[in-house]
Amino acid sequence: MNKNLRKVVGAWLLAMLCSNISLAQSGQTYEVADLEVWTGAKLNYKPNKDWSISLEQQLRLKDDASTVDLTFTELEITRNINKHFALSLGTRFIRENDNEGKIQGYESHFRWNTDLSYKHKVQNLSLKYRVRYQSKNELMVDDVNVNTFRFKTGLNYNIKKWKLDPKFSAEIFSRLQDNDGLDKLRLTLGTDYKLTKASEIGMYYRLEKQLQGIYPKTTYILGLSYEYTFKNKNK
């Protein structure tokens, strides 16, 4: 059972990767594709069972992983209301590499978000739902904030005697400016591997699809992350 699952997942990932350089045309609508690589490191601190604080640094590459897309530093605070519900507040400082058009260079952006999440378990399956509202603007530029509503559903299946449990999530993005509606879909398949009780690495493959525009972009993303969590031993 596990061997068959690994074969199916491997074949699917290979097929998706091979298609990242394709350019499809349908009428007057073109689909542009790109391969990106996202890497990040995250530090989690849990003073008690109700609160947690995380600090993350991430680097993202674009243009078939040949050019820096952006870097960001994110701080997030989470309050567990009970064993099912949690509230989060996050801030992110972003440096984006604009390498298109007449004016190019790195731009500074600030983003904040607030989340409400709900999780539960059904036998070996863990499910989590998250609603997020975020607002982003370019610093030192007199411009309207880009406000987005996001809904994410994720699941994690616990396979007995198997350290690489599969995780899958689907997320939709809806921009709130000018009634833009749904503008992006994100699908992610990945796994985590515990190095120690406090640290783990994560690997994932992500498909990100724009839903609007004359040139809707499809992005294939390879991700690698590292997390370290420490708790207050004197609580």
Side-chain angles (χ1 to χ4, degrees):
M1 182 70 178
N2 294 343
K3 183 180 293 186
N4 292 334
L5 177 62
R6 292 196 296 271
K7 288 182 179 179
V8 171
V9 171
W12 179 77
L13 291 178
L14 180 61
M16 296 297 285
L17 281 172
C18 291
S19 64
N20 81 86
I21 59 174
S22 65
L23 181 65
Q25 179 179 359
S26 176
Q28 294 184 345
T29 301
Y30 295 81
E31 182 178 319
V32 181
D34 190 19
L35 172 67
E36 297 188 1
V37 173
W38 296 5
T39 58
K42 190 174 184 180
L43 181 65
N44 302 309
Y45 172 59
K46 296 183 178 181
N48 53 54
K49 65 177 183 178
D50 295 327
W51 291 91
S52 63
I53 304 171
S54 66
L55 180 65
E56 181 179 8
Q57 183 68 38
Q58 193 171 125
L59 168 67
R60 298 180 180 180
L61 305 177
K62 62 180 179 179
D63 299 334
D64 290 333
S66 64
T67 307
V68 173
D69 181 21
L70 60 85
T71 64
F72 71 75
T73 303
E74 181 174 276
L75 177 66
E76 186 174 65
I77 300 175
T78 300
R79 171 69 162 91
N80 294 320
I81 301 173
N82 53 43
K83 68 177 182 178
H84 296 296
F85 286 96
L87 285 170
S88 298
L89 178 65
T91 60
R92 179 181 293 186
F93 175 71
I94 310 165
R95 290 282 289 166
E96 289 189 7
N97 179 21
D98 181 2
N99 59 349
E100 297 180 356
K102 294 182 179 180
I103 301 177
Q104 300 185 14
Y106 279 89
E107 304 169 346
S108 297
H109 295 255
F110 177 79
R111 198 193 84 180
W112 69 269
N113 63 271
T114 180
D115 303 346
L116 173 63
S117 60
Y118 174 81
K119 62 181 181 180
H120 67 105
K121 294 185 68 174
V122 180
Q123 296 182 350
N124 292 342
L125 189 64
S126 299
L127 298 103
K128 185 175 181 179
Y129 315 93
R130 188 190 71 186
V131 178
R132 166 173 289 184
Y133 173 82
Q134 67 181 41
S135 182
K136 176 184 174 183
N137 70 293
E138 183 177 354
L139 298 177
M140 309 301 294
V141 175
D142 185 16
D143 200 0
V144 178
N145 291 355
V146 177
N147 303 315
T148 305
F149 177 82
R150 299 163 57 172
F151 179 74
K152 180 179 180 180
T153 300
L155 57 89
N156 185 347
Y157 187 77
N158 182 18
I159 302 175
K160 293 183 179 180
K161 299 180 181 181
W162 178 250
K163 295 184 178 180
L164 299 175
D165 293 337
K167 300 195 304 183
F168 176 78
S169 67
E171 186 172 17
I172 55 174
F173 294 66
S174 177
R175 292 184 59 176
L176 304 180
Q177 277 76 14
D178 302 322
N179 297 318
D180 285 344
L182 300 180
D183 68 328
K184 187 163 62 176
L185 170 68
R186 178 182 289 177
L187 303 174
T188 305
L189 178 66
T191 188
D192 296 326
Y193 180 81
K194 274 194 169 296
L195 300 173
T196 65
K197 290 183 178 180
S199 63
E200 66 180 26
I201 57 173
M203 298 160 285
Y204 57 89
Y205 182 78
R206 176 168 289 163
L207 171 66
E208 195 170 87
K209 171 72 175 178
Q210 290 182 348
L211 303 177
Q212 297 191 29
I214 300 176
Y215 301 99
K217 184 179 180 180
T218 300
T219 306
Y220 305 95
I221 301 162
L222 297 176
L224 180 66
S225 62
Y226 172 80
E227 285 194 34
Y228 185 88
T229 301
F230 63 100
K231 301 178 182 180
N232 183 9
K233 296 182 180 180
N234 299 319
K235 62 181 180 178

